[in-house]
Amino acid sequence: MTRFDGEMSPAFEIVEPAEWRAPVIFNSPHSGSTYPDEFLSASRIDLPTLRRSEDSFMDELIGHLSARGFPTVRVNFPRSYVDVNREPYELDPRMFTGRLPSFANTRSMRVAGGLGTIPRVVGDGQEIYRDRILVDDALARIETLYKPYHRALRRLINKVHQMFGTVVLVDCHSMPSVGVSRDEPRRPDIVIGDRYGTSCTPLLPDRVEETMGGLGYSIGRNKPYAGGFITEHYGNPASGLHAVQLELNRAIYMDERRRERSPRFAQVATDFGVLADVLAATIPFGDLGPFQAAAE
């Protein structure tokens, strides 16, 4: 059975502010870089190749926001080991020795692409594992890492909802500067994903675009990333829960080949602070609570 004692402790971290400024949570679910030894031993590819799936340093770009009055969440284990931005049981039966539970989702598009809850490939399509892995080990990762993260995130969301009557979850990711397909157009600096208008009030992506566009970033909407499981699952505007995904072009803040912070890194972190301040100052949170039925 897979053991995680000490190796990935803590598996994730939530930092709440000393003084809350607004009901805005900044989350980084894909920047984890702590790789278990047994995972590295089972992988047919080396660590630098595994790390291509990371949203490297995204947790650092938003980490300072807790001191500015906003809660931050970071995951420390890598998405290539367990991806918390998936349904809990999006699993590819071809990867495992043993029988998957009957409720596993084995037919999703993400599973077909090799990017389920336990990924089969890294971002550029290379197979991760040398051999099949035990179903019990996969389920242990979900029970020990995936589920505790989502329980903690739900508790934080519920706390903020009770405090303010509404919640804005900003799910922060980064994307390769160039897509896998040569036919894909040049990627913008930031892609805002709101599940095509279903995960949040339209005011939220509009305000993000105005703010970051004003700071000089080129902006795209929903293509090629409209938002994953977190944005879809936690975004419920009718209940006062608003979720938006931000995909930051890695070439903006890092050297993708060397996986090092670029000279612009500090400025990008500062710009995230500007964005947080603008959201806190200009979003009418009192109007974003649960929809009320009209009086008869």
Side-chain angles (χ1 to χ4, degrees), residues 162-275:
Q162 290 174 4
M163 291 172 62
F164 292 93
T166 190
V167 183
V168 169
L169 177 64
V170 183
D171 203 39
C172 300
H173 298 256
S174 69
M175 59 184 173
S177 57
V178 179
V180 176
S181 171
R182 293 183 178 181
D183 297 329
E184 183 179 330
R186 178 186 178 277
R187 289 182 168 177
D189 297 334
I190 298 173
V191 174
I192 304 170
D194 63 356
R195 304 293 300 181
Y196 295 94
T198 63
S199 68
C200 62
T201 171
L203 179 62
L204 182 56
D206 287 350
R207 194 56 44 86
V208 172
E209 181 168 0
E210 292 167 8
T211 303
M212 301 307 281
L215 292 170
Y217 296 85
S218 59
I219 308 294
R221 292 275 192 114
N222 288 311
K223 293 180 180 180
Y225 302 105
F229 173 78
I230 290 173
T231 309
E232 181 179 16
H233 182 69
Y234 293 104
N236 184 359
S239 298
L241 307 177
H242 303 266
V244 64
Q245 178 177 285
L246 302 185
E247 289 275 359
L248 180 63
N249 191 316
R250 290 175 192 156
I252 299 300
Y253 70 93
M254 65 180 281
D255 183 317
E256 292 179 273
R257 185 176 61 84
R258 296 183 177 181
R259 200 160 300 281
E260 296 174 351
R261 302 165 191 80
S262 71
R264 194 178 172 188
F265 185 89
Q267 183 60 54
V268 175
T270 297
D271 292 342
F272 268 90
V274 172
L275 174 63

Side-chain angles (χ1 to χ4, degrees), residues 146-166:
Y146 178 102
K147 288 187 176 180
Y149 162 78
H150 279 282
R151 282 196 295 267
L153 182 58
R154 279 195 300 271
R155 283 196 298 268
L156 178 62
I157 288 172
N158 289 339
K159 177 177 181 176
V160 175
H161 197 241
Q162 290 174 4
M163 291 172 62
F164 292 93
T166 190

Side-chain angles (χ1 to χ4, degrees), residues 109-158:
M109 291 295 293
R110 293 182 287 221
V111 167
L115 297 171
T117 316
I118 308 295
R120 177 173 53 83
V121 302
V122 289
D124 59 359
Q126 294 192 59
E127 296 275 344
I128 294 174
Y129 295 97
R130 188 177 297 109
D131 302 301
R132 291 191 177 207
I133 60 178
L134 296 174
V135 163
D136 285 348
D137 281 355
L139 297 180
R141 298 182 199 180
I142 294 168
E143 292 295 329
T144 313
L145 299 171
Y146 178 102
K147 288 187 176 180
Y149 162 78
H150 279 282
R151 282 196 295 267
L153 182 58
R154 279 195 300 271
R155 283 196 298 268
L156 178 62
I157 288 172
N158 289 339

Side-chain angles (χ1 to χ4, degrees), residues 15-22 24 65-72 156:
V15 181
E16 296 186 15
E19 296 185 11
W20 294 70
R21 289 185 57 197
V24 183
L65 299 179
S66 56
R68 302 173 74 102
F70 307 91
T72 60
L156 178 62

